[in-house]
Amino acid sequence: MNRENEFDLFVNKAKDAFRQSSAQDAAGTAQNSSTEGAGASSGSTSSWQAPFRAGSEADAYYAAYTRQEPPKKKEKKPKKKFTKRASVRIIAAVLAVVMISAASVGGFVALINAGIVDVGGSSSGGQAFTINQNGDEGSSTTQVNTGEKLTKQQAAAKVLPSVVCIQNLTGSGRDSEPSVSSEGSGIIMSEDGYIITNAHVVDGAQALNVILYDGTQYEATVVGSDSFTDLALIKINASGLTAAEFGDADELQIGDDVIAIGNPGGSEFRSSATFGSVSAVGRDIANSDGYTMHCIQTDAAINPGNSGGPLVNLYGQVVGINSSKIVAEGYEGLGFAISINEAQPIITSLKEYGYVKDRAVFGISYRMIDSTMARFYGLPVGIYVADINSENVSNAGISKGDVITKVGDTDITSATVFLDYIKDLKPGDTVDVTYYSALSGNYNTTQVVLSELETSNT
């Protein structure tokens, strides 16, 4: 039976009950009237009962028909237990995120290394200073310069604030005050006080005094010095200095205008500039230690006191470090500056270690036997072994008086060939050597393990 039939039954039953109730009420009223005067001693009441008890059937029927189903309560799902499989899934997800993050970081680093993203650091590939190229593209140790060529006056004005005078102070006795024994020049490498100069400018100093372009003076300390290359790095306790900009010396050509800036004669003629041209590039100049440096030859006047100062191009960039001048009767306008490209790794090593790290040496003292000397002495062209400084050479069978004629597959036609071959190697590397034995008069081959040059930071 559906709910509508139940309600009809309920209504019909209610009507019948109402009619019965009305009839009984009428009968009861009459009976009560006839007995009211006599009084009923028995105390009995009417036998009629309502067909519905209040709050029972009628309410039940009405409620059954009209009630609405209460909203069902959402069943709470039981919490999943943290199982081993779940932990593995979580760890895998975390590792995936880490791998994605690492890949993103790696990609970002690659963009920085490629020069696509600039984070405000130097583009010098870990070098102490950046070399600016004025061409179309740079390299790992250079960056492209977008500036325009300047006039000589503008180029000099740009660099002058970055050039300092360096006074080498020594004393004649233990209790005497240091006095100026020599003076040279220097180039401000960074605004926090690093200054590039020549090794001979600071050699033997008990104290160093630095005079800036504006006349301010500072005491300096030696960070590192290398007599082989005649380069040194010193430091003053200052900040906000005007650092020089460095240019690519490999871009220079014969005839290019250059400026030599420094302190010829010392502080008396401080901040002088002389103008000239590039006379030659890539000149191999050997110092007193027999070490060869690639230099720029110029006719710009370089005098005592200019040592350590900059050679500047017309972009206002330092392309060389004035180091030496042939001073002899009959020579005029013959000056040399160490190529800044050659100096960059040396200065970087001096800044980081205080000396030139990982410089390989063969382990001998020598002199070059050229073709003229070879004919005169009856010896082959090559490196004459004057003395042995490493047991690695002796262990290889080479003795004093022998002549080294070949390293690797390279014939030794000059000292520069020999030194350039060694310069590209590291301590511990093995070199194939062909040499002429003075004792037997025979040519022999052997292998020599290169040694590390021991230097100090003073």
Side-chain angles (χ1 to χ4, degrees), residues 24 28 31-32 44-51:
Q24 290 177 0
Q31 184 178 358
N32 290 338
S44 63
T45 61
S46 171
S47 60
W48 176 85
Q49 291 183 356

Side-chain angles (χ1 to χ4, degrees), residues 19 36 70 87 106 112 119 143 221 245 330 397 421 426 432-433:
R19 282 193 293 269
E36 188 174 3
S87 65
I112 294 174
V119 293
Q143 67 180 16
T221 58
E245 182 180 327
Y421 188 93
K426 297 294 183 183
D432 294 326
V433 176

Side-chain angles (χ1 to χ4, degrees), residues 303-357:
N303 297 284
N306 277 112
S307 292
L311 189 70
V312 182
N313 63 16
L314 287 191
Y315 288 93
Q317 301 166 334
V318 177
V319 291
I321 302 170
N322 302 323
S323 178
S324 61
K325 179 184 179 182
I326 296 178
V327 181
E329 188 176 352
Y331 287 93
E332 184 64 35
L334 191 58
F336 295 93
I338 301 169
S339 163
I340 201 65
N341 301 59
E342 187 99 339
Q344 187 189 48
I346 304 298
I347 297 300
T348 299
S349 191
L350 291 178
K351 181 181 179 183
E352 187 169 356
Y353 304 107
Y355 67 99
V356 180
K357 192 178 187 315

Side-chain angles (χ1 to χ4, degrees), residues 9-351:
L9 178 64
F10 162 72
V11 172
N12 291 333
K13 192 173 182 179
K15 288 180 180 180
D16 292 340
F18 180 78
R19 282 193 293 269
Q20 291 178 13
S21 176
S22 299
Q24 290 177 0
D25 286 343
T29 301
Q31 184 178 358
N32 290 338
S33 299
S34 61
T35 59
E36 188 174 3
S41 59
S42 62
S44 63
T45 61
S46 171
S47 60
W48 176 85
Q49 291 183 356
F52 295 100
R53 288 186 296 273
S56 58
E57 289 92 339
D59 291 344
Y61 270 98
Y62 181 79
Y65 184 78
T66 59
R67 72 171 181 262
Q68 296 180 353
E69 291 294 331
K72 293 183 178 181
K73 294 183 179 180
K74 294 182 178 179
E75 295 183 6
K76 293 184 178 180
K77 295 182 179 180
K79 294 183 179 179
K80 293 183 178 181
K81 293 184 178 181
F82 190 79
T83 63
K84 184 177 182 180
R85 178 176 296 180
S87 65
V88 170
R89 289 176 178 175
I90 292 173
I91 293 172
V94 171
L95 288 175
V97 172
V98 172
M99 291 175 69
I100 293 172
S101 300
S104 300
V105 172
F108 185 69
V109 171
L111 291 175
I112 294 174
N113 292 337
I116 297 173
V117 176
D118 182 14
V119 293
S122 172
S123 302
S124 58
Q127 300 290 343
F129 57 85
T130 299
I131 292 177
N132 296 275
Q133 286 186 328
N134 300 307
D136 295 330
E137 60 182 56
S139 66
S140 61
T141 57
T142 62
Q143 67 180 16
V144 176
N145 176 51
T146 57
E148 299 294 332
K149 274 192 174 182
L150 307 174
T151 65
K152 293 178 181 180
Q153 293 85 349
Q154 291 171 333
K158 177 181 176 180
V159 181
L160 275 168
S162 304
V163 182
V164 303
C165 177
I166 301 174
Q167 295 178 325
N168 184 321
L169 307 179
T170 59
S172 57
R174 178 179 297 179
D175 299 327
S176 63
E177 288 291 329
S179 59
V180 178
S181 62
S182 62
E183 293 178 288
S185 303
I187 307 162
I188 297 175
M189 184 184 79
S190 60
E191 63 176 13
D192 58 348
Y194 283 98
I195 297 171
I196 301 170
T197 186
N198 285 148
H200 74 263
V201 171
V202 300
D203 184 40
Q206 293 181 354
L208 293 173
N209 185 52
V210 170
I211 307 174
L212 301 185
Y213 178 67
D214 63 4
T216 307
Q217 299 190 29
Y218 291 91
E219 183 179 353
T221 58
V222 177
V223 177
S225 180
D226 182 56
S227 62
F228 280 82
T229 58
D230 196 25
L231 292 171
L233 184 67
I234 65 174
K235 178 76 166 59
I236 62 174
N237 187 18
S239 60
L241 302 177
T242 303
E245 182 180 327
F246 298 89
D248 188 1
D250 292 341
E251 293 181 343
L252 292 176
Q253 297 180 14
I254 296 174
D256 284 350
D257 291 323
V258 287
I259 309 168
I261 300 177
N263 310 288
S267 57
E268 184 178 0
F269 302 107
R270 187 162 48 91
S271 302
S272 296
T274 55
F275 302 87
S277 303
V278 174
S279 303
V281 294
R283 289 292 197 207
D284 293 323
I285 305 299
N287 60 19
S288 58
D289 294 311
Y291 196 87
T292 301
M293 294 289 289
H294 299 302
C295 296
I296 305 162
Q297 182 182 327
T298 178
D299 61 357
I302 298 176
N303 297 284
N306 277 112
S307 292
L311 189 70
V312 182
N313 63 16
L314 287 191
Y315 288 93
Q317 301 166 334
V318 177
V319 291
I321 302 170
N322 302 323
S323 178
S324 61
K325 179 184 179 182
I326 296 178
V327 181
E329 188 176 352
Y331 287 93
E332 184 64 35
L334 191 58
F336 295 93
I338 301 169
S339 163
I340 201 65
N341 301 59
E342 187 99 339
Q344 187 189 48
I346 304 298
I347 297 300
T348 299
S349 191
L350 291 178
K351 181 181 179 183

